[in-house]
Amino acid sequence: MKRCKARTSKGKQCRRTAVNNTAHCKSHQRNPLQRPPDGSEFEKDVRKVLELLGYKVDPDVRVNGRQTDLYAEYWTGEICLRLMIECKDESTPVGVEEVSQFAARVQIAHRHKIDKGLIVAKRGFTKDAKTVAADAGVQAVSFDDLSNRLVHFDSYIDRVIADFDRSAVSKYYIDLSFALTEDYYGSDSHLIQRPLDDAVNRIIAAEGHNQIALLGNFGTGKSTWCRKFARDMARRYRDDHHNRIPVVVSLSDYEGKLDIQELITSTLQFTYGLQISLTVCLELQRHGRFLFIFDGFDEMATRADSEVVRDNLRQINKVAKIQENLFIITCRTHFFRDKVQAEVLKEFETLYIPEWGEAELREYLEKRFGGDWQRHFDRIRGTHNLPELAETPLFLEMIAETLPKLGDHVRRTELYQTYTANWISEQSQRKGARLTSDERAAFVQDLAVKLYRDERVSCHYSEFSSLLQSRFQITDASAMDYVQSDVRNCTFVTRTSTGHYEFRHKSFMEYFVAVAMQVQIEKADTDLLSARGIPVEIRGFLVELIEQSPPTKLLSNWWAENRETVLGGNAFTMLAALGEALTIDGAVVDDETRSAAEFLEFLRGDPRALESIYTRYFPVLRDHLARLLGDVDEARDAAQEVMLRLIEERDRLEVGTSTNFRGFLLARASNVARRRTANNHLKANRSVYIENFTEFAAQIYDHKAPSPVDILVAKEQVEGLRKAMEYAMLQLPGRQRAIVQRVFIEGRRQSDVATEFGYSRSGLSTLISRTLASIRETIRLHMRESMDEG
């Protein structure tokens, strides 16, 4: 029988028996994950829940000469209920023997004024154990059941289920597909899988994945999927209360900086009427009771600058810091690339939602039209542009409703115009309607413009008065009440429980704003185009509205006369989107105009413009970077990087780059130089602590501050560290060891390694982070053991 090789905190030899070939007892296992829990943390969790339920709880109280885990009292007036509590932090359900032993202790404790025995198990009880407990008068509950008593979620769960089941979309719902990579466009169908629900459920079930990002383009059904998946999760909870409770949080409802925990709590309180406090909500999160679904992160961008968006993302990441939490975030595919950096998704397991294919189209039409589906399918497939529009679920719904009224050539704006016109007409003809179709259309447009100006997606019904008075010059109070009642009951916009109104889908607001801009352009009015940079979605609608008769001369003059303003930037972007040449009075005249015109051609993908830009600006970038970096060869590489990124991001360049294209490129070059300088500085810092050592060691540790390992290395114990690292590698499972070998020793790209081992890029990144943490811990313990033996 071997003794444990470890030493106690006082430096003495441990006297416990070694449990395996590592020559350590359970408490001194080098891998913390192999150490058994001592139960203290679980006792704290039970105590916290009981205190939130109103009990006065004391730990480690002696009853009848024996120590009990917890002693609790619950006072009702002058009556006190006294509990003796046993906490079982075990990895398997508690059996008959342990329950019987506790029941016997409770029986004796009745003489000492103990009224009830409560045994709480982390993993529940066997069926026979629960029977024994009931017969002995002992309350046996799992920890999940105990925490569920903090808030009664049954009515909430019923509402989540009913909200989706009663909606019109539930009748025609089609399972979404997904891809593990964004590069699924125009590729083989094997990259796209179905259904999305299965992939999300697999991620949820896998350990170590608590953040999921669902990225999809506009109208691909992300919000509908959130409601449907929440319904499914709610059904699971109703069947078994040990499952997670789904909570859908719509981020489009909130403006400015976000307090994430208050947002979650207020959603449960005010949207669903739950009696839950922030303290209780946080405690339930610590116990892993929720699945949060944050829907529409990109919707916040219309009201927040990039710094606020970063703050909001950091707020959401606070949810992830509660280790037991699990959450999903939805967003438009290109949002993170535009507003922050794609790197923010590295901790997420990311799935991409593609547009619908023919299989989904057939399935939807069969559900929608029954036996008549083939006729509608043939009409869509035989109409120019409709097959493309039908790839987006939102457009397909509109097509299904308006198909009989559409012509042979259908554009997106025509689809919106037909759909909204029908909608407005129906609302104006219903019983009790006060506004005509034209008046209703005018009000809806005014509402859209107001929300656009205010950078909001909703407004309170009390704000309708000013809109109606301005539009219709209503002065009579009773007439105003009638009209307000009319618009408040219009199904074109939806109402929240707080009395705020918003468009059924944000795209309808964007369409009406584009219509208003079209009217202003026809009148040479610059009001809306001067307000702010036109978002890409509105710009897309506006281009379609004016492309039949493009106002090229007007836009060129607006740009020439207002180059440093929002109006000039918007005019320039509109010309680029329309494919029009940039001229002043019919001719390209000065160098600045010529440069901007060349930039326009570059945005449209003209290879001659790209060659001209490269020839003109590469020497300028190289010389600028040489001054910043102090190295001609590195400056040449950095200039190539700037030009390459310019090409890669051509489709995503924002307005405002046309007035000073040279300054724009130099600013980009300065950013590249700062990043390269920072990286060089980081490498230099690493060499201070680990001199003459492998790059592998440099990547294992983050040497922003000295650590115990750094101190060892500084004492020239490099060889000891090398042996410890080799030992740590051997302790890894074969698959993880192979991944570390590929990435850090062979230097292969993570994207290639992810493909080889069947991971997504974000999934591999998460696995590598956990593996490196395990390596560091094993190295630390191994080297400490070596010092003890020495």
Side-chain angles (χ1 to χ4, degrees):
M1 182 181 297
K2 294 183 179 181
R3 293 290 180 186
C4 174
K5 294 174 61 176
R7 294 182 179 274
T8 67
S9 59
K10 295 182 180 180
K12 295 182 179 181
Q13 184 72 39
C14 177
R15 300 180 62 83
R16 297 190 185 95
T17 303
V19 295
N20 53 31
N21 58 7
T22 63
H24 290 86
C25 66
K26 286 186 176 180
S27 297
H28 286 109
Q29 285 291 320
R30 287 194 295 270
N31 186 347
L33 297 177
Q34 295 179 359
R35 298 173 191 164
D38 61 8
S40 60
E41 290 301 318
F42 184 59
E43 289 175 15
K44 291 178 182 177
D45 289 340
V46 174
R47 179 181 178 183
K48 181 68 173 178
V49 172
L50 289 171
E51 287 175 340
L52 289 171
L53 287 170
Y55 289 83
K56 180 181 179 298
V57 186
D58 293 314
D60 299 326
V61 174
R62 298 187 72 82
V63 178
N64 193 32
R66 292 189 61 181
Q67 188 178 43
T68 188
D69 291 339
L70 299 172
Y71 169 78
E73 295 180 351
Y74 189 89
W75 287 85
T76 306
E78 297 299 320
I79 302 174
C80 180
L81 174 67
R82 299 173 178 85
L83 296 179
M84 175 177 164
I85 304 165
E86 182 85 355
C87 303
K88 294 294 184 182
D89 184 12
E90 299 179 4
S91 59
T92 57
V94 173
V96 170
E97 183 178 352
E98 291 173 288
V99 171
S100 298
Q101 290 175 356
F102 179 67
R105 290 176 54 200
V106 173
Q107 187 66 33
I108 298 173
H110 281 320
R111 307 170 191 169
H112 298 269
K113 299 183 179 180
I114 293 296
D115 301 306
K116 189 79 173 177
L118 172 65
I119 181 168
V120 183
K122 193 167 191 176
R123 302 299 178 188
F125 301 84
T126 65
K127 184 177 180 180
D128 291 340
K130 295 188 75 171
T131 301
V132 169
D135 292 343
V138 171
Q139 189 76 25
V141 299
S142 69
F143 183 76
D144 286 344
D145 286 337
L146 183 66
S147 62
N148 284 340
R149 295 176 187 178
L150 289 171
V151 181
H152 296 290
F153 283 99
D154 290 347
S155 60
Y156 164 78
I157 290 297
D158 290 341
R159 180 171 170 184
V160 171
I161 295 171
D163 282 352
F164 182 78
D165 287 345
R166 293 173 184 171
S167 65
V169 71
S170 66
K171 302 175 185 177
Y172 315 122
Y173 182 79
I174 303 299
D175 287 329
L176 297 184
S177 301
F178 71 95
L180 297 176
T181 174
E182 187 181 353
D183 303 322
Y184 58 81
Y185 295 103
S187 62
D188 293 337
S189 59
H190 72 274
L191 292 177
I192 299 177
Q193 304 173 51
R194 190 182 183 211
L196 172 65
D197 301 55
D198 287 354
V200 173
N201 284 325
R202 283 196 298 271
I203 296 171
I204 290 174
E207 287 194 24
H209 298 297
N210 69 332
Q211 305 174 61
I212 304 172
L214 302 181
L215 306 185
N217 291 330
F218 155 76
T220 48
K222 300 184 295 295
S223 296
T224 301
W225 180 89
C226 290
R227 294 165 53 206
K228 186 264 183 185
F229 191 74
R231 189 275 310 270
D232 294 345
M233 291 292 294
R235 285 178 173 174
R236 294 180 206 171
Y237 177 85
R238 188 173 60 183
D239 295 339
D240 182 355
H241 282 19
H242 292 87
N243 287 311
R244 288 180 179 261
I245 300 162
V247 180
V248 178
V249 181
S250 177
L251 298 180
S252 64
D253 293 340
Y254 296 87
E255 304 174 10
K257 292 188 177 181
L258 178 70
D259 185 308
I260 191 64
Q261 294 298 348
E262 290 183 0
L263 168 59
I264 292 168
T265 306
S266 64
T267 296
L268 292 170
Q269 289 174 338
F270 301 116
T271 303
Y272 294 99
L274 272 180
Q275 299 298 315
I276 184 172
S277 66
L278 177 59
T279 302
V280 170
C281 185
L282 286 170
E283 187 64 19
L284 289 173
Q285 290 179 49
R286 277 203 324 110
H287 300 316
R289 302 305 299 128
F290 294 115
L291 166 68
F292 295 115
I293 305 175
F294 297 109
D295 183 35
F297 187 82
D298 54 290
E299 300 290 347
M300 304 169 69
T302 59
R303 304 173 304 287
D305 59 27
S306 58
E307 185 56 38
V308 173
V309 171
R310 290 189 185 94
D311 289 339
N312 289 333
L313 187 64
R314 284 192 287 268
Q315 286 281 339
I316 289 178
N317 282 338
K318 289 180 181 179
V319 179
K321 290 182 180 179
I322 300 178
Q323 192 173 13
E324 294 77 8
N325 269 338
L326 174 65
F327 70 91
I328 300 169
I329 185 171
T330 75
C331 188
R332 296 191 189 188
T333 303
H334 298 295
F335 172 76
F336 287 104
R337 187 180 298 156
D338 294 338
K339 294 295 178 183
V340 277
Q341 294 295 323
E343 286 77 11
V344 301
L345 292 176
K346 65 182 179 181
E347 299 299 328
F348 286 78
E349 189 73 15
T350 304
L351 300 175
Y352 297 89
I353 303 175
E355 285 73 13
W356 280 7
E358 188 170 300
E360 290 89 347
L361 174 59
R362 288 174 178 269
E363 187 176 339
Y364 174 82
L365 293 176
E366 285 184 34
K367 285 189 174 183
R368 186 69 184 263
F369 298 110
D372 197 32
W373 73 271
Q374 184 68 51
R375 182 171 63 87
H376 293 281
F377 177 80
D378 293 339
R379 171 75 191 283
I380 291 173
R381 303 305 292 179
T383 304
H384 176 71
N385 208 39
L386 272 190
E388 180 182 351
L389 291 176
E391 293 175 354
T392 303
L394 176 66
F395 293 153
L396 181 55
E397 179 186 348
M398 296 165 61
I399 290 170
E401 292 193 22
T402 59
L403 198 59
K405 301 179 181 180
L406 297 176
D408 293 332
H409 180 85
V410 181
R411 295 184 302 158
R412 186 174 57 156
T413 49
E414 182 184 356
L415 187 62
Y416 273 80
Q417 193 278 328
T418 303
Y419 187 70
T420 55
N422 291 344
W423 204 350
I424 290 172
S425 177
E426 290 173 2
Q427 288 297 303
S428 301
Q429 294 174 19
R430 64 180 173 80
K431 185 177 180 180
R434 299 286 171 174
L435 297 177
T436 65
S437 294
D438 290 343
E439 291 172 334
R440 193 177 304 277
F443 169 76
V444 168
Q445 185 168 300
D446 288 347
L447 176 62
V449 170
K450 174 180 174 56
L451 296 177
Y452 173 75
R453 289 186 186 280
D454 296 345
E455 299 188 42
R456 294 187 288 167
V457 294
S458 67
C459 70
H460 197 263
Y461 70 83
S462 60
E463 300 177 65
F464 286 179
S465 296
S466 59
L467 283 175
L468 294 169
Q469 287 176 345
S470 174
R471 168 61 66 176
F472 305 117
Q473 290 79 48
I474 300 175
T475 56
D476 182 75
S478 59
M480 177 63 73
D481 287 340
Y482 276 123
V483 174
Q484 278 196 317
S485 176
D486 184 3
V487 297
R488 287 204 303 268
N489 288 293
C490 175
T491 58
F492 194 86
V493 290
T494 59
R495 182 186 187 277
T496 68
S497 59
T498 58
H500 284 75
Y501 284 79
E502 60 187 23
F503 284 88
R504 179 183 169 188
H505 195 280
K506 183 169 174 277
S507 65
F508 292 115
M509 182 195 78
E510 294 163 347
Y511 166 73
F512 282 116
V513 172
V515 172
M517 288 180 174
Q518 177 196 17
V519 172
Q520 288 194 355
I521 289 174
E522 291 173 351
K523 299 177 179 178
D525 186 347
T526 62
D527 181 38
L528 282 175
L529 269 68
S530 299
R532 61 189 177 102
I534 304 174
V536 63
E537 295 84 8
I538 295 177
R539 189 168 66 228
F541 282 123
L542 184 54
V543 167
E544 280 195 21
L545 290 170
I546 65 176
E547 65 182 353
Q548 298 299 317
S549 180
T552 305
K553 183 176 180 180
L554 177 64
L555 293 174
S556 294
N557 289 337
W558 279 349
W559 173 80
E561 297 167 4
N562 304 274
R563 298 186 186 187
E564 303 297 332
T565 68
V566 171
L567 174 60
N570 282 333
F572 178 86
T573 307
M574 291 300 300
L575 286 165
L578 288 165
E580 296 293 330
L582 184 62
T583 61
I584 300 177
D585 294 330
V588 176
V589 289
D590 53 30
D591 288 341
E592 185 177 351
T593 305
R594 185 176 295 104
S595 177
E598 191 173 62
F599 181 49
L600 273 178
E601 296 303 318
F602 165 72
L603 290 178
R604 288 196 287 271
D606 188 336
R608 292 172 299 177
L610 173 60
E611 181 181 354
S612 176
I613 288 174
Y614 186 91
T615 302
R616 182 185 306 180
Y617 290 108
F618 183 81
V620 176
L621 292 174
R622 181 196 57 211
D623 295 344
H624 177 68
L625 286 161
R627 288 191 295 272
L628 294 176
L629 295 171
D631 186 298
V632 176
D633 291 335
E634 186 174 6
R636 185 179 294 106
D637 291 341
Q640 293 281 12
E641 180 181 343
V642 174
M643 297 304 297
L644 180 61
R645 289 192 175 191
L646 181 70
I647 297 168
E648 291 175 343
E649 299 174 9
R650 179 175 57 206
D651 295 337
R652 303 189 298 275
L653 293 178
E654 298 289 343
V655 300
T657 58
S658 63
T659 55
N660 186 3
F661 186 45
R662 183 177 185 276
F664 166 74
L665 287 177
L666 292 178
R668 287 251 172 143
S670 297
N671 290 337
V672 169
R674 280 194 293 270
R675 179 175 55 76
R676 286 185 172 233
T677 301
N679 289 343
N680 292 337
H681 179 67
L682 179 58
K683 291 178 181 178
N685 286 343
R686 283 177 173 169
S687 66
V688 171
Y689 302 116
I690 302 182
E691 296 180 0
N692 304 319
F693 201 48
T694 65
E695 181 65 20
F696 181 34
Q699 295 181 82
I700 291 291
Y701 288 100
D702 180 6
H703 291 285
K704 294 179 181 178
S707 68
V709 174
D710 299 328
I711 296 171
L712 290 175
V713 174
K715 293 178 179 179
E716 299 183 346
Q717 295 188 4
V718 175
E719 190 58 30
L721 177 59
R722 186 189 306 276
K723 290 181 179 179
M725 293 180 69
E726 291 172 352
Y727 174 84
M729 285 286 287
L730 291 174
Q731 304 309 303
L732 292 175
R735 188 179 181 85
Q736 287 178 255
R737 185 165 63 248
I739 289 173
V740 172
Q741 173 81 19
R742 300 283 200 283
V743 174
F744 295 104
I745 298 177
E746 298 176 12
R748 293 177 57 183
R749 294 187 304 177
Q750 287 196 24
S751 58
D752 295 337
V753 177
T755 301
E756 179 182 352
F757 287 89
Y759 287 94
S760 67
R761 283 173 290 183
S762 59
L764 182 72
S765 177
T766 301
L767 176 64
I768 289 175
S769 296
R770 294 203 309 270
T771 303
L772 293 184
S774 175
I775 291 175
R776 286 192 288 267
E777 178 65 9
T778 303
I779 289 172
R780 184 183 68 82
L781 293 169
H782 185 81
M783 296 193 72
R784 187 175 69 180
E785 179 186 337
S786 299
M787 292 179 66
D788 290 342
E789 292 176 348

